[in-house]
Amino acid sequence: MPKQKIVVLTGAGMSAESGLKTFRDENGLWEGHDVMQVASPQGFAKNPELVLEFYNQRRRQLLNVSPNKGHLALAELEQAFDVSIITQNVDNLHEQAGSSHVVHLHGELFKVRSTVDENHILDWKKNLILGDTDENGHQLRPHIVWFGEMVPMLKTAAEITQQADILIIVGTSMQVYPAASLIHYTPEDTPIYFIDPRPNIKQSDFKNLIIIPKTASEGTPELVEQLINN
């Protein structure tokens, strides 16, 4: 008998408990920077050194953190289910925890790409500086989807979500588009579990919605244990 398909959508709240800063603070600033300065093609064109150093700091931070109980629990789900994780996060904590099928909607910190050929992608864990180029001499940039850029993995993510027997949403407010639109691709009677300590959606907003008002590292292991035992 084929395993049931579980699709998991994860966002910043998933990684916050590992010590990674979430995307923006209350003022809309990201680590003290206007987001458009450090996460847009215009920002990169205007001050590439600032943008490269911003992501170098994020990369160095990622080298010093570990997956939390939430990440580890999702990896455990693969024992009993066919699991796909669709994440807004640019860290690799799901992979470090052992999850084998992870789709990154917004790119990956440990990868860089050519500024000319977006399909020329390299693994990269050290600092990236001006003068680091592909073999054709084109500057490399972070492999991150910036504001105003296409989300190339969105179509893949939608196709995966259409196959869900169960949908789990962790650490994302369901207000960040286009990721939030994925919930509408699930088949009609799919049970949806929403793990969030301060949920901003109500049980009545979606059919078959179960809200678990806990953090990622508390709520995820509990739900995983329940699903595996059932």
Coordinates of all heavy atoms in Angstrom, one line a residue, residues 34 60 73 77 103 111 159 169 219:
D34 N 16.8 48.6 5.7 CA 15.5 48.6 4.9 C 15.6 47.4 4.0 O 16.6 47.1 3.4 CB 15.5 49.9 4.1 CG 14.2 49.9 3.2 OD1 14.0 48.9 2.5 OD2 13.6 50.9 3.1
R60 N 27.2 33.0 7.8 CA 28.0 32.6 9.0 C 27.2 32.2 10.2 O 27.5 31.3 10.9 CB 28.9 33.8 9.4 CG 30.0 34.2 8.4 CD 31.0 35.1 9.0 NE 30.5 36.5 9.2 CZ 30.6 37.5 8.3 NH1 31.2 37.2 7.1 NH2 30.2 38.7 8.6
A73 N 11.4 16.3 14.2 CA 10.1 15.6 14.1 C 9.7 15.4 12.7 O 9.2 14.4 12.3 CB 9.1 16.4 15.0
L77 N 8.8 11.9 10.4 CA 7.5 11.6 9.7 C 7.8 10.7 8.5 O 6.9 9.9 8.1 CB 6.9 12.9 9.2 CG 5.7 13.5 9.9 CD1 5.2 14.7 9.1 CD2 4.6 12.5 10.2
V103 N 11.6 21.6 -0.8 CA 11.6 22.6 -1.9 C 11.7 24.0 -1.2 O 11.0 24.4 -0.3 CB 10.2 22.5 -2.6 CG1 10.1 23.7 -3.6 CG2 10.1 21.2 -3.3
K111 N 23.9 28.5 -1.3 CA 24.1 28.5 -2.8 C 24.2 29.9 -3.3 O 23.7 30.8 -2.7 CB 22.9 27.7 -3.5 CG 22.9 26.3 -3.1 CD 21.8 25.5 -3.9 CE 21.9 24.0 -3.5 NZ 20.8 23.3 -4.1
E159 N 2.1 22.0 -7.5 CA 1.9 20.6 -8.0 C 2.0 19.6 -6.8 O 1.2 18.7 -6.7 CB 2.9 20.3 -9.1 CG 2.5 21.0 -10.4 CD 3.6 20.9 -11.4 OE1 4.7 20.4 -11.1 OE2 3.5 21.5 -12.5
I169 N 1.0 23.2 8.4 CA 1.6 24.5 8.2 C 2.3 24.9 9.5 O 1.6 24.9 10.6 CB 0.5 25.5 7.8 CG1 -0.2 25.1 6.6 CG2 1.1 26.9 7.7 CD1 -1.5 25.8 6.3
G219 N 4.7 22.1 19.2 CA 3.5 21.5 18.5 C 3.9 20.5 17.4 O 3.1 19.5 17.3

